[in-house]
């Protein structure tokens, strides 16, 4: 059943990062490795979600909650370690036409988000948009359409 849920979810991600100072712009990795300077792990941000829902990715919660972990691409502990400076979560019940901000609390890459599942959205599958930044000027924005389904009964009364 989870496979069907994954097929209807759509993700769109935009990542921005600053190249390390002093490294040549446009440096590429060829067959023999990096040109001119040692290879480095890109300072790209990553997102991890833990949405409160059942095994079918359905929620009957009045207040929807989600754990959000923000970090960096790493390999065996190597990679950037810039401080995570912000995280924002928004929810859309109308296919992304309008977005409602969620309450987000936490710091240093570990956050909890919460928002209401309104009666008008019962039986629908909202979209979630997350944006996070780090102290080095990096950012990530990810939008997940049909992120979960609000049960046909339950939610805000």
């Amino acid at each position: 059943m989870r496979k069907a849920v994954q097929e209807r979810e759509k993700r769109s991600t935009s990542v921005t990062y600053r190249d390390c100072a002093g490294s040549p712009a446009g440096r590429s990795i060829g067959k023999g490795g990096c040109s001119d300077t040692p290879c480095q792990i890109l300072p790209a941000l990553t997102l991890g979600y833990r949405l409160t829902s059942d095994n079918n990715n359905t929620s009957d919660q009045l207040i929807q909650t989600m754990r959000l972990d923000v970090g960096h691409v790493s390999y065996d502990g190597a990679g950037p370690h810039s401080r995570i400076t912000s995280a924002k979560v928004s929810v859309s019940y109308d296919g992304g036409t309008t977005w409602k901000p969620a309450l987000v609390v936490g710091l240093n890459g570990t956050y909890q988000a919460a928002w209401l599942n309104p009666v008008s959205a019962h039986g629908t599958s909202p979209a979630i948009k997350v944006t996070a930044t780090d102290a080095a000027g990096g950012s990530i924005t990810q939008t997940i359409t049909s992120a979960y389904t609000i049960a046909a009964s339950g939610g805000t009364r």
Side-chain angles (χ1 to χ4, degrees):
M1 195 61 105
R2 179 70 183 141
K3 183 174 182 175
V5 171
Q6 289 174 339
E7 288 175 358
R8 75 169 184 241
E9 293 173 358
K10 303 282 187 214
R11 290 186 191 178
S12 170
T13 305
S14 173
V15 177
T16 304
Y17 64 90
R18 262 181 217 224
D19 199 6
C20 296
S23 65
R27 183 182 61 181
S28 62
I29 300 174
K31 290 180 185 176
C34 294
S35 61
D36 299 358
T37 58
C39 290
Q40 295 180 352
I41 297 171
L42 292 176
L45 289 165
T46 60
L47 300 172
Y49 306 94
R50 182 158 295 171
L51 186 74
T52 304
S53 63
D54 66 16
N55 289 337
N56 294 317
N57 209 25
T58 300
S59 175
D60 62 359
Q61 300 296 306
L62 167 68
I63 298 175
Q64 186 64 50
T65 60
M66 179 179 76
R67 178 182 167 138
L68 173 64
D69 295 309
V70 183
H72 292 91
V73 172
S74 65
Y75 179 75
D76 228 4
H81 299 284
S82 296
R83 184 174 56 84
I84 306 302
T85 56
S86 71
K88 296 178 184 176
V89 176
S90 299
V91 182
S92 177
Y93 304 99
D94 59 11
T97 302
T98 60
W99 293 92
K100 297 183 183 265
L103 173 66
V104 179
V105 295
L107 61 133
N108 299 327
T110 303
Y111 301 91
Q112 285 289 334
W115 60 90
L116 292 177
N117 281 330
V119 171
S120 61
H122 287 188
T124 67
S125 296
I128 297 173
K129 180 170 30 177
V130 175
T131 300
T133 59
D134 70 11
S139 67
I140 185 170
T141 298
Q142 186 169 75
T143 303
I144 303 172
T145 59
S146 300
Y148 67 105
T149 299
I150 301 173
S153 61
T156 305
R157 300 185 194 278

